[in-house]
């Protein structure tokens, strides 16, 4: 499994999202990460299906839609219709997570479950075999540019082990929050294979170059981890 870079447009200029996506893609972005926030589950508001639909028109890589909303079931179809290729939902808001994951998959979209920093890995146990990926939050969701929570590194290892135990070796671990040139090698060594990065890419003067550099760092870390094995 290679490492994929998923630039988060949360830190981009919302008046120039098309250019942000194009720059990230020139730098080798594998996915575009779209943060959807409702002002309830997280203390911030961002974008809805209309913006995803517009992004879909310009993006050449798949759209990875991260739903930080209290009622994802209501909106899954709208995001699929708008062009999401991957949708992640938070376990903290879903009493019927199994149903939601399968509803996402039935729409032909890759289904991911997301865990907040304080949510135990054990909450994955009964769903690990069903998911297409797991998103480990390495900051408390809501804002870009926060500091990486160090404990997330071991959490990635635990999630990787839980997926493997469930016979789901094909499902990658995605990590989101505070990923930069310093933290990327550590999370790759821990087993993360999709790296979301907002500030480290769109907070720079040259997002294309920042994407390319982060991808190179991640690839180096993966090679080193394979050698160490
Ligand atoms: C945080 C979002 C992240 C955010 C990451 O709630 O889920 O995707 O954009 O931003 P950085 O990389 O700046 O921590
Ligand atoms: Zn996100």
């Amino acid at each position: 499994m290679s490492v994929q870079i998923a630039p988060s447009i949360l830190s981009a200029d919302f008046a120039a999202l098309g250019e942000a996506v194009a720059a990230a893609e020139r730098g080798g972005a594998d996915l575009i990460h779209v943060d959807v926030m409702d002002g309830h589950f997280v203390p911030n508001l961002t974008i809805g299906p209309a913006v995803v639909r517009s992004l879909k028109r310009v993006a050449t890589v798949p759209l990875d839609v991260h739903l930080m909303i209290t009622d994802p079931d209501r909106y899954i179809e709208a995001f699929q219709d708008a062009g999401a290729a991957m949708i992640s939902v938070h376990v903290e808001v879903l009493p019927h997570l199994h149903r939601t994951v399968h509803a996402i998959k039935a729409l032909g979209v890759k289904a991911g479950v997301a865990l907040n920093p304080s949510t135990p890995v054990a909450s994955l146990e009964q769903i690990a075999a069903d998911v297409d990926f797991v998103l480990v939050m390495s900051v408390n969701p809501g804002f870009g540019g926060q500091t990486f929570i160090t404990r997330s590194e071991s959490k990635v290892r635990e999630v990787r082990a839980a997926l493997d135990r469930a016979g789901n070796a094909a499902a990658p671990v995605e990590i989101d929050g505070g990923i930069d040139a310093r933290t990327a090698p550590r999370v790759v060594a821990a087993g993360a294979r999709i790296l979301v990065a907002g500030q480290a890419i769109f907070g720079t003067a040259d997002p294309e170059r920042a994407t390319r550099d982060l991808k190179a760092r991640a690839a180096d870390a993966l090679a080193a981890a394979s050698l160490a094995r």
Side-chain angles (χ1 to χ4, degrees), residues 114-135:
L115 306 182
N116 278 338
S118 67
T119 302
V121 175
S123 60
L124 277 181
E125 199 182 314
Q126 298 299 320
I127 200 72
D130 301 71
V131 298
D132 292 309
F133 64 101
V134 172
L135 192 166

Side-chain angles (χ1 to χ4, degrees), residues 33-216:
H33 185 83
V34 182
D35 288 304
V36 176
M37 305 186 186
D38 66 353
H40 291 278
F41 180 61
V42 291
N44 197 4
L45 288 161
T46 55
I47 65 177
V51 176
V52 172
R53 193 178 300 281
S54 296
L55 289 169
K56 176 67 185 159
R57 269 188 228 120
V58 297
T60 61
V61 298
L63 299 179
D64 167 32
V65 175
H66 178 193
L67 297 183
M68 286 161 279
I69 62 180
T70 47
D71 194 0
D73 290 323
R74 258 178 83 183
Y75 299 100
I76 282 161
E77 216 172 316
F79 282 106
Q80 178 268 335
D81 189 62
M86 300 161 66
I87 293 179
S88 52
V89 293
H90 272 264
V91 304
E92 298 85 5
V93 296
L94 286 164
H96 308 295
L97 184 59
H98 181 272
R99 182 161 64 205
T100 304
V101 162
H102 285 278
I104 294 171
K105 291 171 104 169
L107 292 169
V109 175
K110 286 192 174 154
V113 297
L115 306 182
N116 278 338
S118 67
T119 302
V121 175
S123 60
L124 277 181
E125 199 182 314
Q126 298 299 320
I127 200 72
D130 301 71
V131 298
D132 292 309
F133 64 101
V134 172
L135 192 166
V136 172
M137 284 305 307
S138 39
V139 298
N140 288 293
F143 303 94
Q146 302 183 78
T147 304
F148 179 81
I149 297 170
T150 316
R151 155 121 188 79
S152 317
E153 221 176 297
S154 58
K155 193 166 187 184
V156 167
R157 287 183 208 279
E158 287 176 36
V159 169
R160 181 67 268 156
L163 286 165
D164 291 345
R165 264 197 316 276
N168 199 352
V173 179
E174 176 172 28
I175 187 144
D176 184 2
I179 298 302
D180 57 20
R182 192 180 54 86
T183 52
R186 283 159 44 190
V187 297
V188 169
R193 292 295 177 266
I194 304 175
L195 309 188
V196 177
Q199 201 60 26
I201 288 176
F202 295 112
T204 72
D206 189 346
E208 174 183 340
R209 185 177 173 172
T211 305
R212 193 174 293 120
D213 289 352
L214 193 62
K215 197 167 170 163

